Short mmCIF file of all heavy atoms in Angstrom, two decimals:
data_model
loop_
_atom_site.label_atom_id
_atom_site.label_comp_id
_atom_site.label_asym_id
_atom_site.label_seq_id
_atom_site.Cartn_x
_atom_site.Cartn_y
_atom_site.Cartn_z
N PRO A 259 -23.46 6.24 -67.35
CA PRO A 259 -24.02 5.70 -66.12
C PRO A 259 -25.19 4.74 -66.47
O PRO A 259 -26.06 5.06 -67.21
CB PRO A 259 -24.69 6.93 -65.38
CG PRO A 259 -23.86 8.13 -66.06
CD PRO A 259 -23.58 7.69 -67.34
N ALA A 260 -25.00 3.47 -66.12
CA ALA A 260 -26.00 2.44 -66.58
C ALA A 260 -26.15 1.39 -65.54
O ALA A 260 -25.33 1.13 -64.64
CB ALA A 260 -25.46 1.73 -67.79
N LYS A 261 -27.37 0.76 -65.49
CA LYS A 261 -27.68 -0.29 -64.58
C LYS A 261 -28.31 -1.49 -65.24
O LYS A 261 -29.28 -1.18 -66.00
CB LYS A 261 -28.60 0.14 -63.37
CG LYS A 261 -28.82 -0.94 -62.42
CD LYS A 261 -27.67 -1.21 -61.44
CE LYS A 261 -27.73 -2.56 -60.78
NZ LYS A 261 -27.12 -3.71 -61.56
N SER A 262 -27.82 -2.63 -65.08
CA SER A 262 -28.52 -3.78 -65.79
C SER A 262 -29.12 -4.68 -64.79
O SER A 262 -28.90 -4.59 -63.57
CB SER A 262 -27.47 -4.42 -66.65
OG SER A 262 -26.57 -5.09 -65.90
N GLY A 263 -30.04 -5.53 -65.29
CA GLY A 263 -30.68 -6.54 -64.40
C GLY A 263 -30.68 -7.86 -65.15
O GLY A 263 -30.57 -7.89 -66.31
N VAL A 264 -30.85 -8.96 -64.34
CA VAL A 264 -30.76 -10.20 -64.93
C VAL A 264 -31.88 -10.69 -65.85
O VAL A 264 -31.93 -11.71 -66.40
CB VAL A 264 -30.63 -11.37 -63.83
CG1 VAL A 264 -29.27 -11.25 -63.20
CG2 VAL A 264 -31.69 -11.32 -62.80
N SER A 265 -32.91 -9.86 -65.85
CA SER A 265 -34.08 -10.06 -66.88
C SER A 265 -33.58 -9.71 -68.26
O SER A 265 -34.18 -10.05 -69.22
CB SER A 265 -35.29 -9.30 -66.48
OG SER A 265 -34.94 -7.96 -66.41
N GLY A 266 -32.45 -9.00 -68.29
CA GLY A 266 -31.97 -8.48 -69.65
C GLY A 266 -32.24 -7.05 -70.00
O GLY A 266 -31.92 -6.58 -71.07
N GLY A 267 -32.68 -6.32 -69.03
CA GLY A 267 -32.86 -4.85 -69.21
C GLY A 267 -31.59 -4.10 -68.86
O GLY A 267 -30.82 -4.61 -68.06
N VAL A 268 -31.41 -3.03 -69.63
CA VAL A 268 -30.35 -2.07 -69.25
C VAL A 268 -30.95 -0.61 -69.18
O VAL A 268 -31.61 -0.23 -70.10
CB VAL A 268 -29.12 -2.08 -70.15
CG1 VAL A 268 -27.99 -1.22 -69.68
CG2 VAL A 268 -28.65 -3.50 -70.37
N LEU A 269 -30.61 0.13 -68.16
CA LEU A 269 -31.10 1.50 -68.10
C LEU A 269 -29.82 2.42 -68.18
O LEU A 269 -28.81 2.11 -67.43
CB LEU A 269 -31.76 1.80 -66.63
CG LEU A 269 -31.81 3.18 -66.14
CD1 LEU A 269 -32.82 4.01 -67.02
CD2 LEU A 269 -32.21 3.23 -64.63
N GLY A 270 -29.82 3.37 -69.01
CA GLY A 270 -28.77 4.34 -69.15
C GLY A 270 -29.21 5.79 -69.00
O GLY A 270 -30.36 6.07 -69.23
N SER A 271 -28.35 6.67 -68.47
CA SER A 271 -28.77 7.96 -68.21
C SER A 271 -27.64 8.93 -68.62
O SER A 271 -26.52 8.71 -68.01
CB SER A 271 -29.17 8.21 -66.78
OG SER A 271 -29.51 9.47 -66.46
N VAL A 272 -27.78 9.86 -69.42
CA VAL A 272 -26.70 10.69 -69.98
C VAL A 272 -27.10 12.18 -69.81
O VAL A 272 -28.04 12.63 -70.49
CB VAL A 272 -26.32 10.37 -71.45
CG1 VAL A 272 -25.11 11.17 -71.84
CG2 VAL A 272 -26.16 8.93 -71.70
N ASN A 273 -26.43 12.87 -68.94
CA ASN A 273 -26.74 14.30 -68.77
C ASN A 273 -26.63 15.06 -70.14
O ASN A 273 -25.76 14.68 -70.88
CB ASN A 273 -25.72 14.94 -67.81
CG ASN A 273 -25.96 14.48 -66.34
OD1 ASN A 273 -26.91 13.60 -66.12
ND2 ASN A 273 -25.19 14.93 -65.40
N GLY A 274 -27.48 15.94 -70.41
CA GLY A 274 -27.40 16.66 -71.72
C GLY A 274 -27.92 15.95 -72.82
O GLY A 274 -27.88 16.35 -73.96
N PHE A 275 -28.36 14.62 -72.62
CA PHE A 275 -28.83 13.86 -73.79
C PHE A 275 -30.19 13.22 -73.41
O PHE A 275 -31.16 13.53 -74.05
CB PHE A 275 -27.76 12.81 -74.12
CG PHE A 275 -28.15 11.79 -75.17
CD1 PHE A 275 -27.92 12.12 -76.51
CD2 PHE A 275 -28.60 10.57 -74.91
CE1 PHE A 275 -28.34 11.22 -77.53
CE2 PHE A 275 -28.97 9.71 -75.87
CZ PHE A 275 -28.82 9.97 -77.14
N GLY A 276 -30.29 12.30 -72.45
CA GLY A 276 -31.56 11.80 -72.02
C GLY A 276 -31.37 10.44 -71.47
O GLY A 276 -30.29 10.02 -70.93
N GLY A 277 -32.47 9.69 -71.59
CA GLY A 277 -32.46 8.24 -71.08
C GLY A 277 -32.40 7.28 -72.11
O GLY A 277 -32.90 7.44 -73.28
N ILE A 278 -31.73 6.10 -71.83
CA ILE A 278 -31.62 5.00 -72.84
C ILE A 278 -32.14 3.69 -72.14
O ILE A 278 -31.74 3.47 -70.99
CB ILE A 278 -30.16 4.80 -73.31
CG1 ILE A 278 -29.62 6.10 -73.90
CG2 ILE A 278 -30.03 3.62 -74.34
CD1 ILE A 278 -28.12 5.99 -74.16
N ALA A 279 -32.93 2.93 -72.82
CA ALA A 279 -33.27 1.69 -72.21
C ALA A 279 -33.17 0.53 -73.34
O ALA A 279 -33.59 0.82 -74.46
CB ALA A 279 -34.66 1.67 -71.69
N VAL A 280 -32.61 -0.60 -73.04
CA VAL A 280 -32.54 -1.69 -73.95
C VAL A 280 -32.98 -2.93 -73.26
O VAL A 280 -32.82 -3.09 -72.01
CB VAL A 280 -31.03 -1.91 -74.47
CG1 VAL A 280 -31.02 -3.01 -75.52
CG2 VAL A 280 -30.44 -0.65 -74.91
N TYR A 281 -33.70 -3.88 -73.97
CA TYR A 281 -34.03 -5.09 -73.43
C TYR A 281 -33.63 -6.19 -74.42
O TYR A 281 -33.91 -6.06 -75.58
CB TYR A 281 -35.60 -5.14 -73.21
CG TYR A 281 -36.10 -6.51 -72.77
CD1 TYR A 281 -35.70 -7.04 -71.58
CD2 TYR A 281 -36.93 -7.25 -73.67
CE1 TYR A 281 -36.11 -8.28 -71.17
CE2 TYR A 281 -37.46 -8.45 -73.22
CZ TYR A 281 -37.00 -9.05 -72.01
OH TYR A 281 -37.43 -10.24 -71.63
N GLY A 282 -32.88 -7.14 -73.84
CA GLY A 282 -32.51 -8.38 -74.59
C GLY A 282 -32.18 -9.33 -73.56
O GLY A 282 -31.15 -9.28 -72.84
N PRO A 283 -32.98 -10.47 -73.35
CA PRO A 283 -32.87 -11.28 -72.24
C PRO A 283 -31.62 -12.16 -72.21
O PRO A 283 -31.23 -12.66 -71.07
CB PRO A 283 -34.12 -12.21 -72.33
CG PRO A 283 -35.05 -11.72 -73.40
CD PRO A 283 -34.14 -10.67 -74.13
N ALA A 284 -30.88 -12.51 -73.22
CA ALA A 284 -29.76 -13.43 -73.20
C ALA A 284 -28.63 -12.67 -72.50
O ALA A 284 -28.25 -11.44 -72.96
CB ALA A 284 -29.38 -13.90 -74.54
N LEU A 285 -28.05 -13.22 -71.53
CA LEU A 285 -27.07 -12.57 -70.74
C LEU A 285 -25.63 -13.10 -70.88
O LEU A 285 -25.55 -14.32 -71.25
CB LEU A 285 -27.35 -12.72 -69.22
CG LEU A 285 -28.77 -12.39 -68.80
CD1 LEU A 285 -28.87 -12.67 -67.23
CD2 LEU A 285 -29.05 -10.94 -69.01
N ASP A 286 -24.63 -12.34 -70.73
CA ASP A 286 -23.19 -12.82 -70.75
C ASP A 286 -22.93 -13.44 -69.38
O ASP A 286 -23.78 -13.46 -68.51
CB ASP A 286 -22.22 -11.76 -71.25
CG ASP A 286 -22.16 -10.61 -70.24
OD1 ASP A 286 -22.55 -10.72 -69.10
OD2 ASP A 286 -21.63 -9.52 -70.57
N THR A 287 -21.65 -13.90 -69.24
CA THR A 287 -21.33 -14.57 -67.92
C THR A 287 -21.35 -13.68 -66.78
O THR A 287 -21.43 -14.17 -65.55
CB THR A 287 -20.01 -15.21 -68.12
OG1 THR A 287 -19.08 -14.21 -68.49
CG2 THR A 287 -19.87 -16.35 -69.04
N LYS A 288 -21.30 -12.37 -66.98
CA LYS A 288 -21.36 -11.42 -65.78
C LYS A 288 -22.81 -11.13 -65.42
O LYS A 288 -23.02 -10.45 -64.46
CB LYS A 288 -20.63 -10.15 -66.16
CG LYS A 288 -19.27 -10.28 -66.67
CD LYS A 288 -18.27 -10.28 -65.46
CE LYS A 288 -16.80 -10.34 -66.05
NZ LYS A 288 -15.81 -10.47 -65.03
N GLY A 289 -23.80 -11.39 -66.26
CA GLY A 289 -25.18 -11.11 -66.01
C GLY A 289 -25.65 -9.92 -66.78
O GLY A 289 -26.81 -9.45 -66.56
N ASN A 290 -24.85 -9.37 -67.73
CA ASN A 290 -25.34 -8.30 -68.58
C ASN A 290 -25.85 -8.69 -69.88
O ASN A 290 -25.37 -9.62 -70.57
CB ASN A 290 -24.22 -7.32 -68.87
CG ASN A 290 -23.75 -6.65 -67.63
OD1 ASN A 290 -24.52 -6.00 -66.83
ND2 ASN A 290 -22.38 -6.63 -67.35
N SER A 291 -26.98 -7.96 -70.34
CA SER A 291 -27.54 -8.34 -71.63
C SER A 291 -26.55 -8.20 -72.74
O SER A 291 -25.93 -7.11 -72.89
CB SER A 291 -28.72 -7.37 -71.88
OG SER A 291 -29.18 -7.36 -73.24
N VAL A 292 -26.43 -9.26 -73.62
CA VAL A 292 -25.42 -9.23 -74.71
C VAL A 292 -25.81 -8.16 -75.69
O VAL A 292 -24.98 -7.31 -76.11
CB VAL A 292 -25.32 -10.58 -75.31
CG1 VAL A 292 -24.38 -10.51 -76.47
CG2 VAL A 292 -25.01 -11.63 -74.37
N VAL A 293 -27.12 -8.19 -76.15
CA VAL A 293 -27.57 -7.22 -77.11
C VAL A 293 -27.53 -5.80 -76.47
O VAL A 293 -27.15 -4.88 -77.18
CB VAL A 293 -28.97 -7.65 -77.52
CG1 VAL A 293 -29.75 -6.45 -78.25
CG2 VAL A 293 -28.92 -8.87 -78.50
N GLY A 294 -27.93 -5.70 -75.28
CA GLY A 294 -27.93 -4.40 -74.52
C GLY A 294 -26.56 -3.74 -74.61
O GLY A 294 -26.45 -2.60 -74.98
N LEU A 295 -25.57 -4.54 -74.22
CA LEU A 295 -24.13 -3.95 -74.20
C LEU A 295 -23.78 -3.55 -75.59
O LEU A 295 -23.19 -2.48 -75.78
CB LEU A 295 -23.20 -5.08 -73.71
CG LEU A 295 -23.18 -5.43 -72.29
CD1 LEU A 295 -22.10 -6.49 -71.98
CD2 LEU A 295 -23.01 -4.27 -71.46
N LYS A 296 -24.02 -4.43 -76.59
CA LYS A 296 -23.56 -4.05 -77.93
C LYS A 296 -24.26 -2.76 -78.36
O LYS A 296 -23.58 -1.88 -78.96
CB LYS A 296 -24.00 -5.23 -78.96
CG LYS A 296 -23.23 -6.40 -78.79
CD LYS A 296 -22.61 -6.86 -80.08
CE LYS A 296 -21.79 -8.05 -80.01
NZ LYS A 296 -20.58 -8.08 -79.19
N LEU A 297 -25.62 -2.73 -78.23
CA LEU A 297 -26.30 -1.54 -78.72
C LEU A 297 -25.94 -0.27 -78.03
O LEU A 297 -25.71 0.70 -78.62
CB LEU A 297 -27.77 -1.77 -78.54
CG LEU A 297 -28.82 -1.10 -79.41
CD1 LEU A 297 -28.38 -1.35 -80.88
CD2 LEU A 297 -30.16 -1.66 -79.14
N ILE A 298 -25.75 -0.30 -76.69
CA ILE A 298 -25.35 0.88 -75.92
C ILE A 298 -23.93 1.34 -76.37
O ILE A 298 -23.65 2.51 -76.54
CB ILE A 298 -25.51 0.79 -74.43
CG1 ILE A 298 -27.05 0.52 -74.14
CG2 ILE A 298 -25.02 1.88 -73.68
CD1 ILE A 298 -27.36 0.45 -72.68
#
Side-chain angles (χ1 to χ4, degrees):
K261 181 75 199 89
S262 66
V264 291
S265 54
V268 187
L269 160 70
S271 177
V272 186
N273 289 0
F275 178 80
I278 302 171
V280 187
Y281 174 64
L285 308 178
D286 65 15
T287 52
K288 307 270 187 186
N290 291 311
S291 165
V292 178
V293 163
L295 286 185
K296 290 236 181 287
L297 206 53
I298 296 187

